[in-house]
Amino acid sequence: MTTRTTSTAADDEALPPARFAFDARTWKEVAHLLANVATGLIGFVYTVLWLFPGLVLSFTVVGLPLLAAGLAGMRPLARLERGRARRLLGLRIDEPSPLPRGRRGGFARRVWETLKDTVAWRSTLYAMIRLPWGVLTFGVTLAALFVAWPVLGHLARGLTTVDRAMARGLLSPSSELERRVAELEQDRGVVVDTAAADLRRIERDLHDGAQARLVALAMGLGLAKEKVLEDPEAAARMVDEAHGEVKLALQELRDLARGIHPAVLTDRGLDAALSSVASRCTVPVAVHVDLGSRPAPAIEGIAYFTVSELLQNISKHSRARTAQVEVWRAGDRLLLQVRDDGQGGASTAEGSGLAGLAERLGSVDGLFEVDSPAGGPTVVTAELPWRSRGSS
């Protein structure tokens, strides 16, 4: 009887299950602090290997490419640090925008763009100060594990707060202004290249078309003038041929003017201008424009030429039976959508006409998307910022 009573009392005084004194988050912070010394050592050694030789040799041809190569490697290291902070500290830092990489400029341009990369330079500063900080946090945390266990959680939180501030300050993207400046610099190059290409096209069309025809016309009229008295019938035939040449030259000049900026777009807007373009397409095109007002002339012109080039591609490459063009406004965006039931396979790969369109729209903060599976159909959607007429 006594034994049974003792057993019941023991059951009533059973201890709770054993568990760690700290939660999972605290242990992740401790792991982050202990790993600081290893990651700091890797980043510091890598930085020293390229930074100091590059600075010493920066007065020579070798130094600047060495600095650029080292800076290029800092972005992946910073990406790893952002990932470690996300997993262990719950700190989410957006990835910086990639460096603008134009198609022109060659090796020297790429080196210069990398040397101006503020994201890489801030990552370099982060790597330089991480080693002494990592040694400090490793030593303090390791000592606290053995001799200051009751305050380990508070200590880990305090040290990782400094880590979070350091990561936010040095591993975050550049400011919005810096990002926009970089984008606009790249877009300005695209606009300049596009304008130069358009000028060369106009010059070539004038030289090979209307100018050559007008030169031949002047020569024909000169010969007709000489034959007026000798052979009036031959002179009349030559004048009649010259009259035909004048009509052809005028038609070529009209086509060229339409390619620069069509009069119907200026006078009557997108609806009439796109209907005119659609009537010249080899495929039946249904046009639907739903705009309460007209956008700014620059936006209207880009929209017109975008649809015009897309319809030319449909005529030349799509093998479509029908096509549709829709234009509408959604908030502060002007949307264009061109569909066809052709063979598909359209792509914005570099070198294609669609890639040029994407660059043009990107230069004015526009978007360009192509959905064209093999076998069709093809749907091209473009967005432009809406600016009303008369606004700056």
Side-chain angles (χ1 to χ4, degrees):
M1 190 72 179
T2 304
T3 304
R4 184 178 303 170
T5 303
T6 304
S7 176
T8 302
D11 290 340
D12 291 339
E13 297 176 1
L15 296 174
R19 62 181 180 86
F20 285 111
F22 303 116
D23 58 13
R25 182 169 183 176
T26 299
W27 285 113
K28 286 183 177 181
E29 291 177 342
V30 170
H32 178 86
L33 295 170
L34 293 176
N36 274 348
V37 67
T39 58
L41 181 61
I42 293 172
F44 184 84
V45 170
Y46 171 77
T47 304
V48 168
L49 286 177
W50 65 264
L51 181 60
F52 294 105
L55 291 176
V56 171
L57 298 175
S58 60
F59 298 101
T60 68
V61 179
V62 179
L64 296 181
L66 178 59
L67 286 174
L71 286 170
M74 292 308 302
R75 279 188 170 237
L77 283 178
R79 190 180 305 118
L80 292 175
E81 281 295 301
R82 283 190 292 272
R84 188 167 73 98
R86 183 170 56 253
R87 289 188 297 271
L88 297 179
L89 300 183
L91 178 64
R92 297 190 177 275
I93 302 176
D94 293 334
E95 291 292 326
S97 301
L99 281 176
R101 297 296 186 187
R103 291 182 294 175
R104 300 187 178 184
F107 177 73
R109 175 66 180 272
R110 291 195 296 273
V111 168
W112 179 242
E113 291 293 341
T114 305
L115 290 175
K116 295 192 302 178
D117 183 13
T118 57
V119 173
W121 282 111
R122 285 190 283 109
S123 301
T124 302
L125 176 59
Y126 181 85
M128 292 295 293
I129 64 179
R130 288 300 290 177
L131 181 58
W133 174 251
V135 172
L136 174 65
T137 58
F138 177 83
V140 171
T141 305
L142 189 63
L145 279 170
F146 295 100
V147 300
W149 181 268
V151 298
L152 177 60
H154 299 288
L155 189 63
R157 181 59 49 84
L159 292 175
T160 53
T161 298
V162 178
D163 267 319
R164 290 183 179 92
M166 197 181 303
R168 284 195 189 98
L170 297 178
L171 300 183
S172 296
S174 299
S175 67
E176 182 68 15
L177 178 61
E178 290 178 353
R179 186 183 67 81
R180 288 295 298 145
V181 167
E183 289 180 355
L184 291 174
E185 285 181 349
Q186 184 178 12
D187 293 343
R188 181 182 61 185
V190 173
V191 172
V192 170
D193 291 344
T194 301
D198 288 341
L199 287 174
R200 288 194 298 269
R201 176 182 60 80
I202 294 170
E203 181 182 7
R204 183 180 64 250
D205 291 345
L206 282 172
H207 183 270
D208 298 342
Q211 180 180 345
R213 198 172 295 280
L214 290 173
V215 169
L217 173 62
M219 295 175 61
L221 289 175
L223 292 174
K225 180 180 178 181
E226 294 176 0
K227 290 183 177 292
V228 167
L229 298 178
E230 301 176 2
D231 191 351
E233 293 182 1
R237 288 195 301 272
M238 296 178 71
V239 170
D240 187 59
E241 292 175 359
H243 184 254
E245 288 291 323
V246 169
K247 290 183 178 179
L248 292 174
L250 287 174
Q251 183 61 43
E252 289 184 355
L253 288 174
R254 283 194 210 98
D255 293 340
L256 182 60
R258 187 182 295 114
I260 298 173
H261 196 84
V264 66
L265 179 63
T266 302
D267 298 337
R268 300 172 58 191
L270 272 175
D271 196 352
L274 295 181
S275 297
S276 176
V277 172
S279 67
R280 298 194 299 271
C281 186
T282 59
V283 175
V285 181
V287 178
H288 179 67
V289 178
D290 182 15
L291 297 175
S293 59
R294 293 178 62 178
I299 299 300
E300 194 174 58
I302 294 174
Y304 170 82
F305 287 111
T306 298
V307 175
S308 179
E309 291 194 34
L310 290 173
L311 291 181
Q312 287 182 23
N313 286 344
I314 290 174
S315 296
K316 295 177 182 179
H317 310 298
S318 71
R319 299 180 184 174
R321 294 185 300 275
T322 60
Q324 296 178 349
V325 175
E326 294 184 23
V327 182
W328 71 98
R329 179 181 178 181
D332 60 349
R333 307 292 284 180
L334 175 64
L335 284 87
L336 320 169
Q337 195 166 81
V338 180
R339 305 167 180 261
D340 69 75
D341 58 357
Q343 62 184 351
S347 171
T348 56
E350 186 172 342
S352 69
L354 295 180
L357 280 179
E359 288 183 348
R360 288 192 185 190
L361 267 69
S363 67
V364 292
D365 284 339
L367 299 175
F368 189 78
E369 182 178 347
V370 178
D371 181 13
S372 183
T378 296
V379 180
V380 179
T381 305
E383 289 187 20
L384 289 165
W386 178 274
R387 291 201 293 270
S388 300
R389 290 190 164 240
S391 63
S392 56

